[in-house]
Amino acid sequence: MFLLSHLKKKNFLEVIKVDFVRKNSEPNDCLPIIGLCGSSGAGKTTLIEALIPKFINLGLRVAVVKHGAHRVVVDAPGKDSDRFFQAGADVALFGEEFFIRRHDTDGFLFCLRRLSVDYDLVLVEGHASTPVNKIWLLGKGHARPPENAGTILHVIEPSQRRVDRVFQWISDWLAEQCLRIPLYGCLLIGGKSSRMGRPKHLIDQDGRTWLEDAVNKLEPHVDQVVLSGKGEVPSSLARLVRVPDVSGLAGPLAGLLSVLRWQSAVSWLMVACDQPAIDPRAFSWLKSRRKPGIRAILPDLRGDGRVEPLLAWYDFRCRPLVEQLAAEGCLRPGGLVGRAGIITPQPPADLHGSWRNINTPDELELLRKTKKLDRPDKGTLE
């Protein structure tokens, strides 16, 4: 759990994090940020304190932000760290606990978006002017929230203030928020295709390239399709955004990291251009596995620990883990396995062919023959 107090003066306490979020990030409406607000004495702190362990027991990372904190002391006057701060520096302390004390902030809402990069739930203890969607706790003698309380999603009367009831409401809301995160699809192109001897994404199948076929299958399942890599693109796909790979990296990790950096609050279906037998139901299956706390879904077809990093789903909150892989020199997205929030479910057997890669002329010929058996009157691969 992480506690952050937003002070009225320019004195800021935060966990040390690389700046993973751009200032033009998406609005907070689809992020897991919810206020528990009310007048003084309404029981906000007691309720939040009781909710925190329940969400942590679900495996979620929880941040609490106190909006409008007063008379907060974050350091002892005269201590070395306070003297550094008073001299004008931002100061980081590492020990049993750690924090950064800063002179300037990026603003309250941007702070919340930054936390949402790394936390599954951000609870904001606040009041009427706190600029977030909120649950309002009615205090004694109050029949309704004040007119200036902003967007209120749920009102709780004193007689309804049972922790389990509020926990269930937030859990249901959080599951809905998870599905509201924009979902993009990324097709990786531009590999060497050395074993095939030609660009695989341009192989013709039933009058269109593998790339065109993949885009046609993927588009109904996502908000936008983009391409990652330098490969040639058919004129029919010139409309698609192209995101260059991260320089200095190679393979799928370069494409994955490039799109995670490009969009800071988007989840991704990452697909290879050499998976021509994708059944669109595989996309639906991956999407159905999304839930709060999950950072990535890497299918394990046989249940033997060998995961599929492409035709896989990645949440934007897995970016710090991917950045760490890149910094460690690991170029395999499969290196995420074993880290918090990474799951490796086994797909239904009738979808396994969707993850079949075609890398050589012999494999291509076998695929051609298989298609002729399945559809004897049509279907060519050239």
Side-chain angles (χ1 to χ4, degrees):
M1 193 272 287
F2 166 71
L3 175 64
L4 176 143
S5 294
H6 183 271
L7 311 185
K8 289 187 174 179
K9 58 184 180 178
K10 289 187 175 181
N11 184 351
F12 188 59
L13 181 69
E14 69 166 5
V15 156
I16 297 175
K17 288 290 173 191
V18 179
D19 185 2
F20 291 126
V21 187
R22 301 177 182 176
K23 291 190 178 182
N24 61 350
S25 299
E26 289 72 8
N28 291 342
D29 285 350
C30 64
L31 296 176
I33 302 167
I34 186 73
L36 280 90
C37 303
S39 56
S40 179
K44 303 184 294 291
T45 299
T46 300
L47 179 58
I48 292 173
E49 183 182 21
L51 289 171
I52 289 169
K54 287 183 172 293
F55 285 109
I56 290 178
N57 288 340
L58 293 179
L60 304 186
R61 300 194 68 193
V62 179
V64 175
V65 177
K66 188 173 179 65
H67 184 230
H70 300 280
R71 297 184 297 276
V72 176
V73 177
V74 298
D75 206 351
K79 297 285 289 185
D80 292 352
S81 51
D82 183 65
R83 291 167 61 187
F84 298 149
F85 184 79
Q86 299 303 330
D90 292 349
V91 180
L93 275 73
F94 288 84
E96 295 85 0
E97 299 180 2
F98 62 95
F99 68 85
I100 292 180
R101 188 181 179 192
R102 294 176 57 183
H103 288 270
D104 298 301
T105 78
D106 294 311
F108 180 63
L109 292 179
F110 180 66
C111 167
L112 296 181
R113 291 197 292 270
R114 180 183 297 198
L115 289 173
S116 296
V117 171
D118 208 28
Y119 291 87
D120 305 302
L121 177 61
V122 180
L123 299 173
V124 182
E125 180 182 330
H127 41 76
S129 63
T130 299
V132 298
N133 294 341
K134 52 183 70 86
I135 297 172
W136 189 266
L137 279 65
L138 289 176
K140 292 182 179 180
H142 294 270
R144 62 180 62 88
E147 294 295 329
N148 64 340
T151 302
I152 296 176
L153 303 181
H154 189 51
V155 177
I156 302 176
E157 299 179 4
S159 61
Q160 300 172 325
R161 206 156 299 162
R162 295 196 300 273
V163 173
D164 288 343
R165 188 169 181 174
V166 180
F167 170 72
Q168 189 58 57
W169 191 95
I170 295 177
S171 296
D172 293 342
W173 169 85
L174 189 60
E176 293 175 2
Q177 289 295 94
C178 179
L179 300 182
R180 293 184 65 195
I181 297 294
L183 176 61
Y184 286 13
C186 177
L187 284 156
L188 302 182
I189 62 175
K192 294 181 179 179
S193 301
S194 54
R195 287 186 288 170
M196 183 64 73
R198 53 175 166 152
K200 288 182 284 187
H201 68 284
L202 297 180
I203 293 174
D204 185 88
Q205 176 176 320
D206 297 338
R208 61 186 176 191
T209 64
W210 279 1
L211 182 58
E212 290 170 310
D213 184 60
V215 170
N216 184 62
K217 292 176 179 177
L218 183 56
E219 279 188 322
H221 293 270
V222 296
D223 299 303
Q224 181 177 342
V225 173
V226 305
L227 306 177
S228 179
K230 298 179 180 179
E232 179 186 350
V233 174
S235 59
S236 63
L237 301 180
R239 59 186 169 82
L240 297 182
V241 172
R242 300 191 64 176
V243 182
D245 285 348
V246 173
S247 61
L249 294 178
L253 194 76
L256 174 59
L257 189 52
S258 69
V259 295
L260 288 172
R261 289 179 177 178
W262 176 59
Q263 291 289 344
S264 62
V266 166
S267 63
W268 291 91
L269 285 174
M270 299 295 296
V271 184
C273 66
D274 59 355
Q275 295 174 315
I278 289 178
D279 184 328
R281 293 179 301 155
F283 300 133
S284 299
W285 176 80
L286 283 166
K287 291 164 63 176
S288 73
R289 294 301 187 269
R290 295 174 294 171
K291 66 177 184 178
I294 302 302
R295 299 289 194 269
I297 303 170
L298 308 181
D300 183 347
L301 301 189
R302 302 171 190 81
D304 59 1
R306 299 175 60 184
V307 299
E308 301 289 340
L310 297 178
L311 190 45
W313 176 84
Y314 297 87
D315 183 70
F316 66 90
R317 278 166 286 239
C318 77
R319 178 181 166 184
L321 299 177
V322 178
E323 295 277 7
Q324 185 177 355
L325 285 184
E328 294 171 351
C330 176
L331 302 182
R332 300 179 300 101
L336 294 171
V337 174
R339 309 196 185 206
I342 310 301
I343 64 171
T344 59
Q346 190 169 4
D350 61 339
L351 295 181
H352 284 195
S354 298
W355 283 269
R356 180 183 177 188
N357 298 102
I358 305 300
N359 296 306
T360 68
D362 288 342
E363 291 174 354
L364 179 60
E365 178 64 17
L366 179 60
L367 178 65
R368 182 188 67 81
K369 290 179 178 178
T370 302
K371 280 190 168 288
K372 279 189 174 182
L373 290 173
D374 290 343
R375 302 192 303 169
D377 296 326
K378 53 185 175 180
T380 61
L381 289 164
E382 298 179 358

